[in-house]
Amino acid sequence: MNDKTAPQPPQEQPPQELPRGVTPAEAPLPETDLKTGLTSETAQERLAKFGENAISEEKTSPLQRLMRYFWAPIPWMIEAAAILSAALGDWADFAIIVTMLLVNAAVDFWQERKAGNAIELLKESLALTARVLRDGTWQTLPAKDLVPGDVVLLRIGNVTPADIRLVAGDYLSADEAALTGESLPVDKAAGDTAYSGSVVKLGEMTGVVTATGMNTYFGKTAQLVASAETRSHFQRAVLSIGNFLIMTTLALVAIIVLVAVFRGTPFWETVQFSLILTVAAIPVALPTVLSVTMAVGAEKLACMKAIVSRLVAIEELAGVDVLCVDKTGTLTMNALTVADILPEQGVEVADVVLAAQLASNANDPDPIDKAVLAAEGAPADAGYVTGDFTPFDPVSKRTMVETTLGDRKVAFSKGAPQVILDLAAPPAESRARIEAEVARLAEEGYRALGVARREGDAWQFLGLVSIFDPPREDAAATIAETGRMGLAVKMITGDHEAIARQIAGKLGLRRNIRSADTVFADGRDGEVSERIEQADGVARVLPEHKFKIVRALQDRGHIVAMTGDGVNDAPALKQADAGIAVSGATDAARAAADVVLTSSGLGVIASAIEEARRIFERMTSYATFRIAETIRVLVFMSLSILIFDFYPVTAVMIVLLAVLNDFPIMMIAYDNANVAEKPARWNMPRVLTIASCLGLLGVAETFLLFWYVDTVMHLPREVIQTVIFLKLLVAGHLTLYVTRNQRWFWSRPFPSLRLFLTTEATQILGTLVAVYGIFVAPIGWTYALGVWAYALAWLPIESAIAIALRRALDMKAEHQTSHLARTEGRVAGR
């Protein structure tokens, strides 16, 4: 960023630590009381004055959203067809086309509005909170309620909720990469500003809000950045299907128009029919089906305590084949308890417990502090008066507290044994003995803390505190389940590999756990990726290792899900195909993740992947059905016009088919679906092959019926049109039962009640239209029931052909996979 392109900060910001390239500006501190904070009344007044602390979003009114269904390329085609019908005096066609246009727009609007409301509710569940001093007490409030002058506490892992002038505390280190692109954290001190959107990496400080919402530096920048919509692989594939159908339709329609002109068919009638045919073939409901299916899936996942912050992540979850799992809190209870106290010679157990408890943060304890504070054995009142407390951070890997006992000054520290040993510097023999004890504890699955005391200038090593985090009760069963689902679970932990192997053994994971040092040691990228792929877990990882592990697995062709909870997990969560922030995650982790869990444990993840695969099956069902229907209708009609010079259905019938198809398609989002045994990836050749075969089979069925009613029964042409219309409707909807199930159409899972009732209702409605001649020539119940019998007779044939195709394609894929494996084996053997 340079001075020419950088957005200017708001006037409230101070000059000391503006992001690089931003011009500083002096500003007074908003009026506030640092001891009591703002009063509720003052906060409400300022909220009314400055507005909510949120980045404003462009809102579209319901009327504007509704009008979009009438002002777009596809509606223009329908409207042009209606205008042509009116110009030609065909008022019946005009009425039905306009009515169906309104009905289609209303259905799409209602479904999209419902999906949008569901997404907004889910977003509210992910809203940031802040620790705020109001009315003299510290409170946790929604970040959107912050106002200038609020006193806010920032600690490691927080996403800074507003522009905040720091006023108290030792230090703060903030990651401003999201604002400036600079990868190195920026150190802050009293008088500096922590900017909205930056992530607290180290330290803890108190500050005063100077700017909120669009007045923050982040808000000013947001005004200059155009939002870019990202699409997943599956969305791009489905949209490419839509483009393929559009181009195919336009090509066939162009041929029909040219042939009609050559034959002397009235030009405007041909154009009208071609427009309507184009509308019927183009997947009008594609965007709505995508959004509704994703939103319905997100609602179901939310009920499972998995909130989706990026809807397309649902599709990625379906294809995940490697799950990188943090050990602590996900595989284990994250409820640490002190197992044993191991004092040094001449030191009492009570002295070790007291020292460890004094070196813990009693006001805001982390899990280790909670375990230590809950330990028994310390004297009730030792007389120590605590002073400055230094919290734990990933760099120092220890806590420290300054205390006084009468006129004596005593310091206590606890943390990683190697750090405390470096601090106390015991004799080499003692150090070797202590390190051996730490290794023994690790082999047994315990984590060791070192405890030291300083009185004067020298530190004394007091002893070890062993802590144990037991595996979750559901972890072993869930890992077994994910294994059956085709996922490889890899444990990622900062602990020693001995602890990781101990936990892995209890959970049923393989014990091939490698340390990060050996995985990343002097190897090319390909070698590192292969080591990670072959390992069952990586221990002693640093924050940058997690990102590299995810990247390496992706380079090997895997779709990776990553769990995390800390600020240091954020890069890996962002890089993963499906980043999952576990229960209790920091704001930074939640902001980087695609899925946020509100329930602890691994079972939620397995359920989320299972539901994602169901959603994937629904989308595949939709894609297959839509392609097959387009081929069935478009190819049959084109061949009928080109070969027999006969329009097999009228323009009104085409519109009716298009609209009646939309209703069951919408219900695909609520359908019961199979859960794939293996990770589900988009396979375009497979979908196109099955859909094309079903579509061409439908063309053959319809031509056979056309030949029979025309050549054998000699029905009038207008009656034949109604018969063909009813056959296309009934058989088309029955094809949905074939595409939605990988086995016989009558096999489980059965269609959902919504899908079944909607499908049959539209078929019955179309039947009544054909029987009684509503806008079409009537055919009566005899011919209508005959069409139903004909369509039902073909249903098991279609199902058998689809099953045979799927088996053949699966056998071909297995043969290619085994051949590739043999080839790779021979290459590796060399």
Side-chain angles (χ1 to χ4, degrees):
M1 184 178 289
N2 54 52
D3 291 335
K4 295 181 180 179
T5 60
Q8 298 301 308
Q11 292 302 308
E12 292 85 351
Q13 294 175 331
Q16 290 91 343
E17 287 293 333
L18 288 173
R20 296 170 178 82
V22 180
T23 304
E26 294 287 352
L29 199 65
E31 183 179 349
T32 190
D33 188 328
L34 296 179
K35 294 183 179 179
T36 62
L38 298 178
T39 63
S40 298
E41 294 76 11
T42 303
Q44 287 299 320
E45 291 173 1
R46 294 189 183 183
L47 186 62
K49 178 180 178 181
F50 294 101
E52 287 190 344
N53 178 36
I55 302 300
S56 61
E57 298 182 35
E58 184 178 350
K59 298 292 184 180
T60 305
S61 68
L63 180 60
Q64 289 175 316
R65 289 201 303 270
L66 183 61
M67 290 306 298
R68 287 188 312 201
Y69 296 105
F70 302 98
W71 192 255
I74 292 175
W76 289 342
M77 294 181 186
I78 303 177
E79 290 155 8
I83 293 171
L84 280 174
S85 297
L88 296 171
D90 193 346
W91 296 108
D93 282 5
F94 173 81
I96 191 68
I97 291 171
V98 170
T99 300
M100 294 309 167
L101 175 65
L102 295 173
V103 170
N104 200 58
V107 171
D108 284 359
F109 172 77
W110 178 78
Q111 291 283 6
E112 186 175 345
R113 182 172 181 272
K114 184 178 179 182
N117 291 341
I119 295 168
E120 288 302 319
L121 288 174
L122 295 180
K123 285 182 178 179
E124 288 180 8
S125 301
L126 298 177
L128 294 178
T129 59
R131 194 70 175 160
V132 186
L133 183 62
R134 287 263 183 98
D135 298 317
T137 59
W138 286 100
Q139 308 172 36
T140 300
L141 299 177
K144 65 182 180 65
D145 293 341
L146 290 180
V147 295
D150 264 327
V151 179
V152 177
L153 175 65
L154 294 177
R155 58 167 65 100
I156 183 171
N158 288 160
V159 174
T160 307
D163 284 357
I164 297 174
R165 182 89 61 85
L166 302 173
V167 295
D170 291 334
Y171 75 99
L172 198 76
S173 180
D175 180 359
E176 296 179 348
L179 306 176
T180 66
E182 296 286 347
S183 58
L184 294 177
V186 179
D187 293 331
K188 305 283 185 178
D192 297 337
T193 293
Y195 293 99
S196 175
S198 63
V199 179
V200 180
K201 303 287 285 186
L202 296 174
E204 181 177 306
M205 292 189 73
T206 303
V208 177
V209 174
T210 58
T212 59
M214 298 304 292
N215 291 321
T216 63
Y217 172 72
F218 183 83
K220 295 291 185 182
T221 304
Q223 291 177 331
L224 304 179
V225 180
S227 61
E229 181 182 358
T230 59
R231 294 193 179 108
S232 68
H233 299 98
F234 185 78
Q235 280 181 308
R236 289 195 293 268
V238 174
L239 292 175
S240 68
I241 290 173
N243 293 333
F244 166 76
L245 294 177
I246 289 172
M247 297 307 297
T248 303
T249 301
L250 294 178
L252 288 174
V253 165
I255 295 173
I256 291 173
V257 171
L258 290 175
V259 172
V261 170
F262 177 77
R263 288 174 174 169
T265 306
F267 179 74
W268 288 112
E269 289 183 8
T270 302
V271 171
Q272 176 201 25
F273 185 86
S274 299
L275 280 172
I276 297 174
L277 179 60
T278 302
V279 171
I282 291 174
V284 181
L286 178 62
T288 306
V289 171
L290 278 171
S291 61
V292 170
T293 304
M294 292 296 104
V296 169
E299 284 185 284
K300 289 185 177 180
L301 291 176
C303 294
M304 300 175 184
K305 307 299 183 181
I307 299 176
V308 178
S309 60
R310 189 174 67 98
L311 284 182
V312 293
I314 295 174
E315 301 156 8
E316 305 293 357
L317 270 177
V320 166
D321 60 346
V322 175
L323 176 61
C324 296
V325 187
D326 267 348
K327 177 182 71 67
T328 304
T330 305
L331 295 177
T332 61
M333 294 289 291
N334 196 20
L336 298 177
T337 57
V338 172
D340 198 7
I341 305 296
L342 304 173
E344 283 292 278
Q345 186 175 3
V347 179
E348 298 294 332
V349 170
D351 294 334
V352 179
V353 176
L354 176 61
Q357 290 181 343
L358 288 172
S360 300
N361 188 347
N363 294 323
D364 187 19
D366 61 20
I368 292 178
D369 288 346
K370 287 180 180 178
V372 172
L373 291 169
E376 298 179 355
D381 184 11
Y384 288 93
V385 178
T386 59
D388 292 338
F389 179 81
T390 303
F392 177 89
D393 67 69
V395 176
S396 67
K397 294 186 178 180
R398 68 185 180 96
T399 63
M400 190 179 77
V401 64
E402 300 282 353
T403 71
T404 57
L405 181 62
D407 59 354
R408 295 160 51 196
K409 292 184 177 180
V410 186
F412 298 95
S413 183
K414 79 174 192 313
Q418 65 270 24
V419 173
I420 302 300
L421 286 170
D422 290 341
L423 191 67
E429 181 181 347
S430 297
R431 178 164 188 146
R433 175 177 50 78
I434 294 168
E435 288 177 342
E437 188 66 23
V438 171
R440 182 189 67 79
L441 290 171
E443 289 290 343
E444 297 177 2
Y446 295 97
R447 171 185 291 184
L449 293 176
V451 181
R453 175 177 58 199
R454 184 191 69 194
E455 189 169 358
D457 296 329
W459 283 92
Q460 176 191 2
F461 190 87
L462 298 179
L464 296 172
V465 177
S466 65
I467 295 178
F468 180 55
D469 183 13
R472 298 189 62 85
E473 293 180 358
D474 64 340
T478 305
I479 287 174
E481 177 63 24
T482 54
R484 287 191 291 270
M485 295 170 69
L487 271 72
V489 179
K490 296 185 183 295
M491 180 191 298
I492 310 297
T493 179
D495 284 336
H496 193 276
E497 54 266 35
I499 296 177
R501 290 192 188 101
Q502 181 74 3
I503 296 295
K506 294 181 178 180
L507 296 178
L509 285 170
R510 291 183 299 178
R511 298 163 62 94
N512 181 21
I513 309 293
R514 307 187 66 175
S515 70
D517 293 339
T518 60
V519 166
F520 293 100
D522 50 72
R524 295 191 298 270
D525 289 344
E527 294 175 349
V528 171
S529 298
E530 186 175 356
R531 292 172 190 164
I532 294 172
E533 186 179 42
Q534 293 175 352
D536 300 309
V538 184
R540 289 195 279 184
V541 296
L542 298 174
E544 60 268 22
H545 290 149
K546 296 182 180 181
F547 177 87
K548 292 178 180 178
I549 289 169
V550 172
R551 190 70 172 268
L553 289 168
Q554 290 172 330
D555 290 342
R556 299 285 289 184
H558 296 287
I559 297 180
V560 183
M562 175 76 192
T563 71
D565 60 354
V567 61
N568 295 320
D569 296 326
L573 293 174
K574 194 72 174 177
Q575 175 64 30
D577 298 286
I580 303 171
V582 299
S583 176
T586 60
D587 293 341
R590 285 155 56 100
D594 305 308
V595 180
V596 179
L597 305 184
T598 58
S599 176
S600 57
L602 200 62
V604 183
I605 300 174
S607 299
I609 292 174
E610 184 177 292
E611 183 60 31
R613 291 186 184 181
R614 286 196 183 94
I615 295 167
F616 192 94
E617 284 295 320
R618 295 183 188 115
M619 295 304 299
T620 304
S621 171
Y622 163 71
T624 307
F625 171 75
R626 198 62 188 84
I627 297 171
E629 273 303 282
T630 298
I631 293 174
R632 185 193 303 264
V633 175
L634 189 62
V635 172
F636 170 71
M637 296 186 65
S638 300
L639 291 177
S640 298
I641 294 170
L642 296 176
I643 298 174
F644 301 104
D645 192 18
F646 171 61
Y647 287 80
V649 292
T650 64
V652 170
M653 293 175 183
I654 294 175
V655 175
L656 279 170
L657 281 172
V659 174
L660 292 175
N661 274 339
D662 278 354
F663 286 96
I665 283 175
M666 292 293 181
M667 294 302 107
I668 289 176
Y670 305 93
D671 188 24
N672 300 321
N674 282 305
V675 178
E677 295 179 358
K678 298 179 180 179
R681 297 198 182 191
W682 180 248
N683 189 337
M684 178 75 80
R686 177 188 175 91
V687 171
L688 287 176
T689 300
I690 296 172
S692 299
C693 289
L694 288 175
L696 294 174
L697 180 62
V699 172
E701 297 170 20
T702 312
F703 266 119
L704 181 60
L705 179 62
F706 172 61
W707 168 82
Y708 184 78
V709 296
D710 182 51
T711 306
V712 178
M713 299 183 67
H714 302 290
L715 296 180
R717 284 299 172 95
E718 61 272 16
V719 174
I720 291 177
Q721 287 177 324
T722 305
V723 168
I724 296 300
F725 158 76
L726 184 59
K727 190 273 172 187
L728 291 174
L729 175 68
V730 173
H733 287 191
L734 291 178
T735 301
L736 184 56
Y737 295 138
V738 175
T739 62
R740 63 169 296 279
N741 203 322
Q742 299 297 309
R743 294 171 293 175
W744 291 100
F745 67 90
W746 59 74
S747 302
R748 291 179 181 273
F750 302 131
S752 68
L753 189 61
R754 288 191 187 188
L755 177 65
F756 178 76
L757 292 179
T758 305
T759 301
E760 298 312 311
T762 51
Q763 286 179 316
I764 292 171
L765 180 60
T767 301
L768 294 175
V769 168
V771 169
Y772 295 107
I774 304 173
F775 296 113
V776 300
I779 61 173
W781 282 107
T782 301
Y783 290 156
L785 293 176
V787 170
W788 269 89
Y790 183 77
L792 288 171
W794 276 98
L795 180 58
I797 299 175
E798 289 185 9
S799 185
I801 291 176
I803 290 173
L805 275 173
R806 292 186 183 108
R807 288 176 178 172
L809 292 171
D810 289 341
M811 290 177 63
K812 181 180 178 181
E814 289 177 4
H815 175 74
Q816 291 175 341
T817 301
S818 61
H819 176 71
L820 180 62
R822 289 194 300 270
T823 303
E824 291 179 347
R826 287 195 296 269
V827 172
R830 295 174 187 172

